Amino acid sequence: MGGFRRLVTFADQGVSSISNFVAVAVAANVASVPEFGQFSLAYAGLLLFLGGQRALVGETLLVRYSQTGRLTREVAAASLGATLLVAVPTVMLLLAGAVLSGPENSLLWLVMAAVSPFVLLQDSIRYLFICQGRPALALLIDGLWAVGSISAMLLVARSGGELWVVLSWWGAGAAAALAAGLILARSVPAVPAGVRWLLINKDFAFRYVAEFAALNASTFAVLYFLVFPLGAAGVGALRAAQLLFSPLNTVFGAIKTAVIPELVRTRGTGAFRSRLLETFVLVLVLCVGWGAAVLMLPASAGEFVLGETWRNASELRWPYAVQYLAMVPYTVLLAYFRAVQANRLSTLMRGVLAALTLVLPLALALGGSAAASAWGFTGAVAVAAVCGLVAVRAGRTRPARPAAALEPVD
């Protein structure tokens, strides 16, 4: 049963990423290079808060509630209410971008601000279903989003539509999937209950979001700082090169959603170590295979996916290929720390990555080289993974808390 759940959750993670991948790929094709740079900045802001919501709400659900899968309607409504709290600063940031970007780019930022609450809430419902051991429902609503939005975006792009129209249809797909998810979950967001739920689970939720904030705020900040030495086109090239490897982000995301719940359920049994080893081998093989495919990608295919941005992004493939290899031990270690509740070690590893991500790419980019900056991101991941491995081998992992501590708190 656990194997089937993991398989369906991996499939759901793949479908969830398809609409995001297509949105960025279509954006790269319909936008000019400067427009794509603006979109990259707005999309990075949305991803920052989406990841924060996953850390604050999603990971807390997986670690504390997966063992039993018992989620009352009240808990479901409270977790969705907590997600709405995250949506508020998300909208404010994107609206600020609309003001600061100038009249020629403001509409793009306004559309991203309008669709962001739907994207965040739809993702939160996915976590609810996965935590309940019902990943098929998560797959259903993500499939609805992917089919609806991809069809509309491609039609708009083929008819010569503008970038903001493409993004509007992406958001409309998220809204439709959200409506279906709310009906299936038989729940609606409850903001006051969300505040109480966060306070009850603050020992996990606040630590997880602090880890994420430190790491991703540094990534977010360095992207904006990189505009000065590299220009918006240089930042767009970094984002475009990352897009070529984005299917692997699906795999890493699935480690959290599919593997952590199973590790929590099998902790203390012989299956625990087997799950970790299987995950490491599978993800390593996928990273090697996909990285080789991207490195051998012909220019015609690259231009088809990225449009004009391919010319600047193609030289960045090697540093990103090595970076994603380094992400394998890093992500598996993070899943291990979550499952055994070694929170101190996860904070240490992610703190190292946050500090180096802020320093290395910017320092190496001062000469105006996007490739050097990309190697800086790679070095940060590699050093953080080594720190995590050293911590484990030094035997500093704290004993797991009693299983009773994982029982859901309503």
Side-chain angles (χ1 to χ4, degrees):
M1 186 61 166
F4 176 75
R5 281 197 300 258
R6 289 199 306 276
L7 180 61
V8 175
T9 306
F10 267 90
D12 167 64
Q13 187 67 36
V15 172
S16 174
S17 300
I18 286 174
S19 59
N20 298 330
F21 177 86
V22 172
V24 178
V26 173
N29 277 274
V30 303
S32 64
V33 172
E35 275 184 324
F36 187 73
Q38 288 290 327
F39 166 74
S40 297
L41 295 175
Y43 192 62
L46 175 57
L47 289 184
L48 174 68
F49 284 96
L50 178 62
Q53 177 268 130
R54 288 173 174 174
L56 185 71
V57 181
E59 289 190 49
T60 302
L61 283 170
L62 296 183
V63 174
R64 300 210 73 169
Y65 293 79
S66 290
Q67 192 168 34
T68 63
R70 184 172 65 86
L71 279 174
T72 64
R73 289 188 186 180
E74 290 76 15
V75 170
S79 66
L80 293 174
T83 298
L84 269 184
L85 295 174
V86 180
V88 174
T90 309
V91 173
M92 292 176 63
L93 172 73
L94 295 171
L95 289 177
V99 174
L100 297 174
S101 63
E104 67 277 6
N105 296 305
S106 60
L107 186 57
L108 182 156
W109 287 83
L110 288 172
V111 170
M112 294 294 284
V115 306
S116 60
F118 303 115
V119 174
L120 293 176
L121 282 169
Q122 191 274 346
D123 191 76
S124 188
I125 291 180
R126 289 179 56 237
Y127 275 80
L128 279 175
F129 290 144
I130 292 168
C131 180
Q132 292 172 336
R134 300 193 295 168
L137 293 181
L139 179 59
L140 175 63
I141 62 172
D142 280 331
L144 174 64
W145 183 6
V147 172
S149 63
I150 288 174
S151 301
M153 287 188 292
L154 291 177
L155 285 173
V156 171
R158 290 189 63 181
S159 63
E162 296 184 44
L163 178 58
W164 71 269
V165 181
V166 170
L167 298 177
S168 297
W169 280 108
W170 179 64
L178 169 61
L182 291 174
I183 293 171
L184 292 170
R186 298 180 181 179
S187 184
V188 293
V191 174
V195 175
R196 292 193 297 272
W197 184 85
L198 288 175
L199 292 176
I200 291 172
N201 293 284
K202 63 181 182 295
D203 53 337
F204 284 74
F206 293 168
R207 174 182 283 271
Y208 292 167
V209 78
E211 288 180 11
F212 176 86
L215 174 58
N216 288 274
S218 65
T219 304
F220 181 72
V222 80
L223 281 176
Y224 279 79
F225 290 144
L226 285 171
V227 170
F228 296 100
L230 302 180
V235 174
L238 289 169
R239 296 292 296 173
Q242 188 178 46
L243 174 64
L244 296 173
F245 292 88
S246 61
L248 295 178
N249 292 334
T250 302
V251 176
F252 293 129
I255 291 178
K256 291 183 179 180
T257 56
V259 176
I260 289 179
E262 293 302 320
L263 290 176
V264 170
R265 295 179 185 118
T266 60
R267 194 180 60 199
T269 70
F272 183 87
R273 183 181 295 272
S274 297
R275 295 281 186 273
L276 279 176
L277 182 59
E278 290 169 4
T279 300
F280 178 81
V281 172
L282 174 62
V283 176
L284 180 61
V285 169
L286 291 173
C287 282
V288 170
W290 188 263
V294 171
L295 291 173
M296 294 186 293
L297 190 69
S300 58
E303 291 171 357
F304 175 78
V305 175
L306 298 179
E308 296 178 27
T309 310
W310 163 256
R311 184 173 302 175
N312 295 330
S314 61
E315 66 178 20
L316 307 181
R317 287 176 291 173
W318 264 109
Y320 273 101
V322 177
Q323 178 184 336
Y324 275 84
L325 283 177
M327 283 294 297
V328 177
Y330 173 86
T331 310
V332 173
L333 279 168
L334 182 60
Y336 169 72
F337 293 150
R338 286 286 186 265
V340 302
Q341 299 178 30
N343 291 329
R344 182 174 59 86
L345 295 186
S346 70
T347 300
L348 170 65
M349 185 175 71
R350 302 190 92 183
V352 169
L353 182 56
L356 293 180
T357 296
L358 186 60
V359 174
L360 289 182
L362 187 59
L364 294 176
L366 292 179
S369 171
S373 181
W375 280 113
F377 285 109
T378 299
V381 176
V383 173
V386 169
C387 289
L389 287 169
V390 169
V392 172
R393 291 185 65 85
R396 288 183 284 160
T397 304
R398 293 190 298 179
R401 291 170 57 184
L406 291 177
E407 290 297 321
V409 180
D410 293 344

